[in-house]
Amino acid sequence: MNTIKAEEYVEVYACTKADLNTNPENAVEINLSQMDVEYTITDAGDYLLYGDYEGRICIDAEEQIVHLFLNNVNIMSPSGPAIDIQAAGKVIITVMDNTSNAIQDKAYYRKQDEEDAAIYSNCDLSFNGNGVLSVYGLYNKGIHSKDIIKILGGDISIQAKGDGIQGNDGICLSPTTLSIESEGHGLYTKKTGNENKGTIEIQGGDIQIIAGENAVSSSKDLYVSNCSLWINSVLDAFHVSGSAYLMEGCIENE
């Protein structure tokens, strides 16, 4: 891979104020323990979720921004994704400070289609905050978005039957810590096109990936900088269709 120096590095995916917002001051509080088996959000806004829930959170808010704040939630879906983002302009998920949260689907879905992950999204999906989030993709993937996935904070662990994180258009990572154990790829993008579509950018955090296929599979470019990355994979550590750039000292188990 090509070497990139710290002073030469330029971010690929810019973060918006919404991506970085962690303030739940005006959020609508929702006790999931009192909700029916499916809770649907159709309006833009901030929603603070708490409680144990055997059901599914659906978001159907065309072209609007929806912000979920996770405050000690335990969500287990009986069928399909536990968080199912069917339509929105963007969804942000904040893992609140000093909380522990778990998101899980089951090994069987009633219908098999694109909605194939414990957290599934048809739009851009961002994660932030400083809490703990555990994601269990027992059916297939852990987190899957048809657009870009950004993980900008949090202590996040993912266990997945398929790929750990699939962002079709791209993936941007700067968590506090991220641990992935997957039977498929650890990180995976699939689209190509203009600009940076399909690029994987790892720009910070303590990251560990154990993968049954490739640890990192990018349909375009790969940038690795300012992070600690430990990988163990059955196939390639890095499978990159475009160019790969590595900042010296980032790979812990070279």
Side-chain angles (χ1 to χ4, degrees):
M1 287 195 293
N2 300 316
T3 301
I4 184 171
K5 297 180 180 178
E7 60 271 20
E8 297 173 339
Y9 178 71
V10 178
E11 287 187 355
V12 177
Y13 296 115
C15 295
T16 67
K17 286 185 178 181
D19 289 329
L20 300 172
N21 176 29
T22 59
N23 184 1
E25 182 179 355
N26 298 315
V28 177
E29 295 191 12
I30 299 169
N31 183 353
L32 293 176
S33 302
Q34 298 177 354
M35 295 296 110
D36 294 331
V37 71
E38 183 169 297
Y39 179 75
T40 301
I41 295 171
T42 58
D43 296 321
D46 299 345
Y47 299 84
L48 190 153
L49 311 179
Y50 62 97
D52 296 337
Y53 183 52
E54 186 169 351
R56 186 162 62 150
I57 305 296
C58 294
I59 297 176
D60 190 0
E62 193 72 41
E63 298 303 319
Q64 301 182 80
I65 296 178
V66 175
H67 196 151
L68 304 181
F69 293 85
L70 305 185
N71 183 15
N72 292 313
V73 302
N74 184 7
I75 303 173
M76 183 177 69
S77 171
S79 178
I83 297 179
D84 186 358
I85 304 165
Q86 300 167 0
K90 176 195 286 282
V91 171
I92 302 102
I93 296 177
T94 294
V95 188
M96 296 182 67
D97 294 3
N98 302 312
T99 69
S100 181
N101 306 271
I103 309 292
Q104 176 180 322
D105 62 5
K106 286 193 173 181
Y108 171 76
Y109 282 16
R110 288 198 200 101
K111 59 179 182 178
Q112 297 183 17
D113 51 25
E114 289 184 323
E115 300 177 353
D116 57 357
I119 300 176
Y120 175 81
S121 177
N122 277 307
C123 67
D124 285 350
L125 176 61
S126 297
F127 295 81
N128 65 32
N130 293 308
V132 175
L133 173 61
S134 301
V135 179
Y136 303 95
L138 302 185
Y139 173 70
N140 192 352
K141 301 176 177 72
I143 302 172
H144 179 193
S145 172
K146 293 178 72 174
D147 289 337
I148 295 172
I149 293 175
K150 298 176 183 176
I151 297 181
L152 308 174
D155 181 356
I156 297 176
S157 64
I158 299 170
Q159 297 181 23
K161 184 73 175 176
D163 301 330
I165 298 175
Q166 177 177 331
N168 289 10
D169 281 358
I171 296 172
C172 175
L173 301 179
S174 58
T176 303
T177 62
L178 173 63
S179 171
I180 297 174
E181 296 183 21
S182 63
E183 294 185 25
H185 304 298
L187 305 174
Y188 175 61
T189 61
K190 63 180 294 185
K191 289 188 179 179
T192 58
N194 296 329
E195 298 178 350
N196 296 304
K197 185 170 286 189
T199 291
I200 295 177
E201 179 183 28
I202 303 173
Q203 56 176 330
D206 184 356
I207 300 169
Q208 297 187 26
I209 300 174
I210 299 173
E213 296 185 39
N214 302 307
V216 178
S217 181
S218 172
S219 60
K220 195 175 183 186
D221 298 336
L222 170 67
Y223 293 84
V224 179
S225 65
N226 301 313
C227 67
S228 170
L229 177 61
W230 185 93
I231 49 181
N232 186 357
S233 58
V234 174
L235 300 181
D236 295 333
F238 303 106
H239 183 270
V240 183
S241 297
S243 299
Y245 303 88
L246 171 66
M247 189 175 289
E248 186 176 349
C250 287
I251 308 303
E252 291 298 314
N253 55 327
E254 281 189 308

